[in-house]
């Protein structure tokens, strides 16, 4: 039996009207923002299925943009996000699609700027979210754990090099997920942690050879 | 000893009995232990939710702004005007419960700040009863926090078996569970014993089995908003019966089994997919066509 928490039942404090379609949208936006970790010139949001159909009445579009701009789920400015100065500094666009191979509440973020990036995720109910894809790589993280994301060249020993540094700090790994494009090509690693990584260890990790991208995505507050 | 394996109401009852403490105490000790926080830290989180609930009521009572769809948002104002002219037959506490529930629920759909308790669509039920009863019976904040902990613990144990989502188990698992959580909280506020509190939960839950989730236009508005004051009052009925030692003949854990089974047997068309029930009435379809300009 999972060890559930009563706090989960009497939270979150959030802006309505829907935990999956509003709060979930904000949280997906926040995670995508942290994965991109730069200032985009333009963001295209692709809303699928139920997100596309009922998004208007639930403020899903506002939630997604608010998240990308860094607003928290209980920020009352979400309602007027399109009028915020932050929103006027980037270009954004919404596309509404139907694809029943995707989750009912699925969204893609297409970031354009000095770095281009694709991030996809689902809002899986009660405000819980999962990021499923970054560029071509399958990942799986929820914002409930501090998460280390790495894209690297598929060479032997990468996992042990990274996990050794984490283990030296006595930080427990909650889950680890790897994926690769092809042998010896680009690969990805997604590590959810019970503890926190400091600047020093992140610098050491960034110093590992054959790494293309390192992102440390902190767990969401709400 | 800290009892951390509490996955059924029977286990909760026994843990209270063995340690000779109230439900909120068992729940907060367990929560603190498992989340590696102090009990005070846990209570502070609960207080933050309680404060946000009160703020949502205050804000909601003053507003008549419509939702994004324009379908709902002005009913709390109507109800307050009515009570200003003529008091409710059931008295002042009834007036507060129904207006507070509507105020919170309408605040939710106009993108105001609320507490999802357990969900956003059912956010008016638990706050309305805890706040209204506490005001009218001069209940101090510490006891209000205890009541909210009990509500949360009830929801948590139910959620071990049934996902609290309309899409999974219908509205019985959202507003229905909110009403059961409320019954437990209010039974405590009015001095109920552990047995009476759990019995209030059982009576409220039992009477809502089978409630479907068929929102018009797929939005958390019709029938969700008005369902909140109805099921808040429903919780009070359960409390009054329970405090009179009227017992549910079916034990609470078995009622939750029935909730789970009913959720599984409920047609997917009646579980938040807006493919049947109220959502496919003539008027609902007309509203849908107007809203989405098909």
């Amino acid at each position: 039996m999972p060890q559930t928490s009563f706090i989960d039942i009497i939270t979150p404090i959030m802006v309505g009207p829907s935990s999956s379609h509003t709060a979930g949208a904000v949280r997906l936006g926040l995670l995508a923002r942290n994965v991109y970790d730069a200032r985009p010139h333009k963001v295209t949001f692709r809303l699928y299925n139920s997100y596309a159909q009922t998004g208007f009445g639930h403020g899903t579009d506002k939630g997604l943009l608010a998240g990308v701009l860094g607003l928290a789920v209980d920020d009352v400015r979400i309602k007027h996000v399109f009028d915020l100065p932050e929103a006027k500094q980037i270009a954004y666009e919404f596309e509404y699609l139907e694809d029943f191979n995707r989750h009912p509440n699925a969204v893609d973020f297409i970031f354009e700027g000095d770095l281009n990036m694709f991030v996809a995720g689902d809002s899986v109910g009660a405000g819980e979210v999962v990021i499923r894809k970054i560029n071509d790589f399958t990942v799986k993280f929820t914002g409930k754990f501090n998460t280390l994301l790495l894209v690297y060249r598929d060479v032997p020993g990468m996992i042990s090099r990274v996990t050794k540094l984490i283990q030296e700090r006595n930080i427990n790994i909650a889950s680890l997920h790897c994926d690769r494009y092809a042998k010896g090509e680009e690969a990805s690693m997604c590590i959810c942690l019970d503890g926190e990584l400091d600047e020093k260890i992140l610098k050491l990790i960034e110093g590992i050879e054959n790494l293309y991208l390192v992102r440390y995505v902190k767990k969401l507050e709400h | 000893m800290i009892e951390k394996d509490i996955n059924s109401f029977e286990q909760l009852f026994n843990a209270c009995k063995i340690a000779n403490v109230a439900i909120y105490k068992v729940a907060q000790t367990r929560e603190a232990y498992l989340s590696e926080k102090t009990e005070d830290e846990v209570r502070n989180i609960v207080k933050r939710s309680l404060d946000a609930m009160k703020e949502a009521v205050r804000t909601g009572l003053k507003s008549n702004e419509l939702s994004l769809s324009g379908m709902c948002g002005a009913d709390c104002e109507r109800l307050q005007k009515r009570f200003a002219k003529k008091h409710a037959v059931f008295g002042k506490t009834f007036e507060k419960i129904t207006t507070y529930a509507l105020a919170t629920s309408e605040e939710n759909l106009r993108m105001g700040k609320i507490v999802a308790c357990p969900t956003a669509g059912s956010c008016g039920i638990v706050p309305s009863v805890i706040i209204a009863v506490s005001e009218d019976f001069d209940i101090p904040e510490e006891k209000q926090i205890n009541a909210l902990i009990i509500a949360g613990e009830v929801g948590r144990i139910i959620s071990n078996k049934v996902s609290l989502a309309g899409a999974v188990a219908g509205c019985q698992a959202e507003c229905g569970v909110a009403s059961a959580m409320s019954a437990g909280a209010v039974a405590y506020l009015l001095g109920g014993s552990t047995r009476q509190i759990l019995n209030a939960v059982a009576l409220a839950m039992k009477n809502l089995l089978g409630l479907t989730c068929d929102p018009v236009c797929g939005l958390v508005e019709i029938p969700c908003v008005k369902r909140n004051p109805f099921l808040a009052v429903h919780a009070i009925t359960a409390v009054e019966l329970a405090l009179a030692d009227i017992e549910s003949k079916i034990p609470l854990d078995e009622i939750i089994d029935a909730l789970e089974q009913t959720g599984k047997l409920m047609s997917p068309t009646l579980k938040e997919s807006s493919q049947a029930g109220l959502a496919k009435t003539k008027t609902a379809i007309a509203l849908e066509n107007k809203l989405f300009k098909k």
Side-chain angles (χ1 to χ4, degrees):
Chain A
M1 187 68 81
Q3 293 297 359
T4 48
S5 152
F6 75 69
I7 296 290
D8 288 344
I9 307 291
I10 58 172
T11 56
I13 301 169
M14 57 168 268
V15 159
S18 161
S19 50
S20 57
H21 285 62
T22 321
V26 179
R27 300 178 94 234
L28 282 167
L30 282 166
L31 287 179
R33 165 195 169 90
N34 293 343
V35 171
Y36 185 65
D37 197 28
R39 238 185 122 80
H41 301 150
K42 185 181 173 187
V43 187
T44 305
F45 301 89
R46 283 194 192 140
L47 288 74
Y48 291 89
N49 307 330
S50 174
Y51 255 26
Q53 285 155 18
T54 67
F56 161 72
H58 285 130
T60 305
D61 47 0
K62 295 179 179 179
L64 292 169
L65 179 63
V68 164
L69 295 176
L71 274 62
V73 289
D74 63 345
D75 194 320
V76 290
R77 294 176 299 166
I78 291 170
K79 190 169 160 179
H80 306 294
V81 68
F82 297 139
D83 302 327
L84 293 180
E86 299 95 305
K88 291 184 173 151
Q89 283 163 12
I90 62 165
Y92 55 86
E93 193 180 341
F94 296 94
E95 293 175 5
Y96 302 92
L97 301 160
E98 206 166 69
D99 179 352
F100 294 114
N101 290 322
R102 297 291 297 271
H103 189 274
N105 301 326
V107 60
D108 296 339
F109 300 85
I110 300 158
F111 292 98
E112 292 168 67
D114 295 338
L115 175 75
N116 293 337
M117 193 183 274
F118 172 92
V119 180
D122 304 331
S123 178
V124 295
E128 304 289 325
V129 299
V130 185
I131 296 289
R132 303 271 188 205
K133 242 178 167 186
I134 297 170
N135 293 335
D136 284 334
F137 299 106
T138 305
V139 294
K140 190 182 173 190
F141 66 98
T142 62
K144 286 192 159 184
F145 297 91
N146 294 320
T147 303
L148 181 66
L149 294 166
L150 305 166
V151 178
Y152 56 96
R153 194 155 72 86
D154 181 40
V155 290
M158 283 303 279
I159 295 173
S160 76
R161 255 172 266 168
V162 175
T163 53
K164 184 168 178 286
L165 288 171
I166 295 171
Q167 188 241 315
E168 279 167 5
R169 297 298 163 98
N170 201 26
I171 294 169
N172 190 44
I173 292 176
S175 73
L176 186 152
H177 184 102
C178 295
D179 190 22
R180 72 175 182 194
Y181 184 68
K183 192 177 175 188
E185 306 265 331
E186 270 190 18
S188 69
M189 203 186 306
C190 173
I191 307 175
C192 296
L193 302 158
D194 284 330
E196 269 187 62
L197 299 183
D198 54 40
E199 286 296 324
K200 227 164 125 189
I201 182 170
L202 281 173
K203 276 271 172 298
L204 288 173
I205 290 170
E206 280 165 9
I208 296 174
E209 273 175 42
N210 294 312
L211 278 181
Y212 303 133
L213 181 89
V214 180
R215 288 287 186 276
Y216 178 54
V217 181
K218 286 204 170 189
K219 66 179 174 186
L220 297 173
E221 293 296 319
H222 294 285
Chain B
M1 191 196 73
I2 292 165
E3 188 54 75
K4 58 185 198 307
D5 285 323
I6 300 175
N7 300 311
S8 70
F9 288 103
E10 192 184 355
Q11 284 172 329
L12 177 64
F13 181 81
N14 288 336
C16 292
K17 203 170 148 187
I18 291 163
N20 194 26
V21 291
I23 292 174
Y24 79 86
K25 180 67 182 160
V26 168
Q28 104 186 7
T29 307
R30 175 190 172 280
E31 185 84 19
Y33 174 76
L34 289 174
S35 62
E36 295 173 351
K37 293 184 173 81
T38 66
E39 292 193 29
D40 278 344
E41 283 169 338
V42 169
R43 292 182 70 82
N44 269 330
I45 299 172
V46 180
K47 180 178 152 41
R48 276 210 296 277
S49 278
L50 183 67
D51 289 343
M53 287 172 171
K54 290 176 179 173
E55 192 191 324
V57 168
R58 274 196 301 273
T59 318
L61 286 174
K62 283 183 282 189
S63 178
N64 62 1
E65 185 188 327
L66 296 182
S67 61
L68 296 167
S69 73
M71 293 194 297
C72 300
D75 288 337
C76 184
E77 186 184 52
R78 284 191 187 98
L79 194 61
Q80 289 181 83
K81 279 183 181 161
R82 153 87 186 162
F83 289 150
K85 271 189 287 188
K86 189 153 179 63
H87 283 296
V89 280
F90 290 165
K92 192 173 68 168
T93 311
F94 178 91
E95 290 181 9
K96 283 190 179 177
I97 290 172
T98 49
T99 47
Y100 291 3
L102 265 186
T104 307
S105 219
E106 289 187 346
E107 196 53 24
N108 176 54
L109 56 81
R110 60 173 78 98
M111 296 192 86
K113 199 201 286 187
I114 54 92
V115 183
C117 180
T119 61
S122 60
C123 68
I125 299 171
V126 171
S128 69
V129 295
I130 292 182
I131 299 168
V133 169
S134 296
E135 282 176 4
D136 286 358
F137 291 81
D138 289 325
I139 290 165
E141 188 181 54
E142 287 306 309
K143 280 192 83 173
Q144 297 174 35
I145 292 170
N146 297 347
L148 188 50
I149 290 173
I150 291 170
E153 184 70 354
V154 167
R156 180 189 73 79
I157 292 175
I158 298 175
S159 76
N160 278 335
K161 276 201 180 139
V162 187
S163 165
L164 306 186
V168 178
C171 193
Q172 54 167 5
E174 290 207 23
C175 288
V177 169
S179 192
M181 289 162 60
S182 303
V186 174
Y188 163 78
L189 290 176
L190 298 181
S193 64
T194 300
R195 184 177 294 279
Q196 286 169 329
I197 290 169
L198 295 181
N199 203 39
V201 174
L203 292 169
M205 195 67 252
K206 194 168 63 167
N207 198 44
L208 293 168
L209 295 182
L211 195 62
T212 65
C213 177
D214 51 359
V216 172
C217 301
L219 300 176
V220 197
E221 300 195 20
I222 306 169
C224 325
V225 174
K226 296 186 197 82
R227 186 164 289 168
N228 275 261
F230 274 110
L231 293 200
V233 173
H234 177 270
I236 304 298
T237 311
V239 171
E240 294 294 359
L241 297 187
L243 294 181
D245 287 324
I246 298 172
E247 293 225 345
S248 171
K249 293 284 188 282
I250 309 294
L252 181 48
D253 285 314
E254 293 179 36
I255 294 169
I256 306 310
D257 290 340
L259 173 73
E260 182 189 17
Q261 189 195 43
T262 307
K264 282 183 179 155
L265 292 173
M266 197 182 282
S267 164
T269 59
L270 292 166
K271 291 192 277 192
E272 215 182 311
S273 60
S274 300
Q275 293 170 336
L278 287 173
K280 278 291 166 273
T281 55
K282 211 167 79 183
T283 302
I285 292 167
L287 281 167
E288 210 173 276
N289 289 337
K290 201 175 118 193
L291 198 62
F292 302 118
K293 292 191 184 76
K294 275 179 185 162

